Amino acid sequence: MAKIVGGIATSHVPAIGRAIAGRLQQDPYWKPFFDGFPPAHAWLDKVRPDVAVVFYNDHGLNFFLDKMPTFAVGAAPQYVNADEGWGIPTLPPFAGDQDLSWHLINELVEREFDIVTCQEMLVDHAVTLPMKLLWPEGDGIPIVPVCINTVQFPLPSARRCYKLGEAVGAAVEAWQSDKKVLVIGTGGLSHQLDGERAGFINKDFDLAFMESLIADPKWATQFSNEELVEKSGTQGIELLMWLATRAALPGAVRKVHATYHIPISNTAAGLMVMESGS
Ligand code: DHB
Ligand code: FE
């Protein structure tokens, strides 16, 4: 059976793509952010995952407001990156793992998640940036993207996203494969890009949320999405990806590494590496 080695949750901000392209990692603005990643690289070198399930939110590239699935799972041989309007350089396609995709899709439907299946799926900065941050020198590993709508209300609740994560974790563990699986979650932490509260960041809440993933993983499920938006900003709701990631990890987890840096662009940038089976 497949084994889940752990999870990595990280923020995604298009400006990071520009910094990578411009080799600005040592620039004073960027250094504290990029310095957070070498411990994650060291952990990846140690556990050597074969494939990653990536919880992410599309921002209008693959799904637009006219057709917005609540949950969508990729089943493509490869995932093409395209210009989504931020003007950041596009990356070559990412390889898929169709065996894991179809296994996940079958298991999720069996477990009463009525997902959308995508045999073609363009991926935006929410997928490309974490891949480039985690594997700066290479192409990374094959992926199965799982998209959660955080763009257009109604959004799935934290409780529902937690259950999705649990179902994905159980499905992966039932996969007849000797592969080691990493779970990645990308989005958050607190940020609001527009409106009266543009620039809103809530460090206390973010740190409490990060801690909760280790000590009390269901903590955030007590909040409605309106409450989460109030606490973390309209786009801070992307923290649902972190929650699904944690929920996919079986049993207790060990915090391998965590960083929190304010701000990157308008966003509180967090990174957390969790090892499962600890
Ligand atoms: C920013 C953050 C995001 O999560 C995003 O998707 C786009 C932009 C930002 O802070 O600039
Ligand atoms: Fe985003």
Side-chain angles (χ1 to χ4, degrees), residues 175-242:
W175 185 32
Q176 302 262 359
S177 165
D178 57 8
K179 287 188 180 165
K180 291 190 279 184
V181 182
L182 172 70
V183 185
I184 297 175
T186 121
L189 290 174
S190 58
H191 61 301
Q192 171 141 349
L193 300 181
D194 45 24
E196 275 178 20
R197 293 202 309 164
F200 175 79
I201 284 179
N202 185 347
K203 180 176 178 180
D204 288 346
F205 175 75
D206 286 341
L207 294 180
F209 172 66
M210 288 172 81
E211 247 352 275
S212 78
L213 294 182
I214 307 298
D216 182 12
K218 287 188 178 161
W219 177 76
T221 65
Q222 70 183 291
F223 301 118
S224 69
N225 280 333
E226 288 73 16
E227 287 169 325
L228 287 172
V229 164
E230 196 179 319
K231 289 175 190 304
S232 70
T234 39
Q235 282 78 31
I237 193 72
E238 292 177 346
L239 62 78
L240 293 175
M241 313 306 148
W242 292 53

Side-chain angles (χ1 to χ4, degrees), residues 12-15 57 59 86 125 187-188 191 193 235 238 264-267:
H12 60 231
V13 177
N57 60 289
H59 299 75
W86 294 95
H125 70 275
H191 61 301
L193 300 181
Q235 282 78 31
E238 292 177 346
I264 291 300
S265 179
N266 281 306
T267 298

Side-chain angles (χ1 to χ4, degrees), residues 32-229:
F33 171 74
F34 283 100
D35 279 355
F37 283 84
H41 302 152
W43 182 76
L44 286 171
D45 275 348
K46 191 186 87 172
V47 298
R48 302 208 156 271
D50 300 299
V51 55
V53 174
V54 185
F55 289 106
Y56 82 108
N57 60 289
D58 180 84
H59 299 75
L61 177 70
N62 193 65
F63 306 113
F64 200 60
L65 304 181
D66 57 338
K67 299 181 194 70
M68 185 58 66
T70 302
F71 299 131
V73 179
Q78 62 171 12
Y79 299 94
V80 173
N81 175 215
D83 184 0
E84 52 181 302
W86 294 95
I88 53 177
T90 53
L91 296 180
F94 297 88
D97 183 324
Q98 287 179 292
D99 188 36
L100 177 55
S101 285
W102 285 110
H103 172 75
L104 272 189
I105 289 161
N106 285 321
E107 291 276 327
L108 287 174
V109 171
E110 183 69 27
R111 290 162 200 264
E112 302 180 358
F113 282 89
D114 306 320
I115 47 159
V116 169
T117 298
C118 300
Q119 298 186 58
E120 285 181 5
M121 200 176 197
L122 295 174
V123 290
D124 69 9
H125 70 275
V127 171
T128 62
L129 296 179
M131 293 300 285
K132 215 53 203 162
L133 287 165
L134 295 176
W135 289 278
E137 306 302 337
D139 299 333
I141 55 180
I143 59 171
V144 175
V146 179
C147 184
I148 299 179
N149 168 33
T150 56
V151 172
Q152 175 164 259
F153 276 78
L155 314 182
S157 66
R159 241 178 18 260
R160 186 70 176 149
C161 292
Y162 196 95
K163 285 189 177 150
L164 175 74
E166 284 181 319
V168 166
V172 169
E173 289 207 300
W175 185 32
Q176 302 262 359
S177 165
D178 57 8
K179 287 188 180 165
K180 291 190 279 184
V181 182
L182 172 70
V183 185
I184 297 175
T186 121
L189 290 174
S190 58
H191 61 301
Q192 171 141 349
L193 300 181
D194 45 24
E196 275 178 20
R197 293 202 309 164
F200 175 79
I201 284 179
N202 185 347
K203 180 176 178 180
D204 288 346
F205 175 75
D206 286 341
L207 294 180
F209 172 66
M210 288 172 81
E211 247 352 275
S212 78
L213 294 182
I214 307 298
D216 182 12
K218 287 188 178 161
W219 177 76
T221 65
Q222 70 183 291
F223 301 118
S224 69
N225 280 333
E226 288 73 16
E227 287 169 325
L228 287 172
V229 164

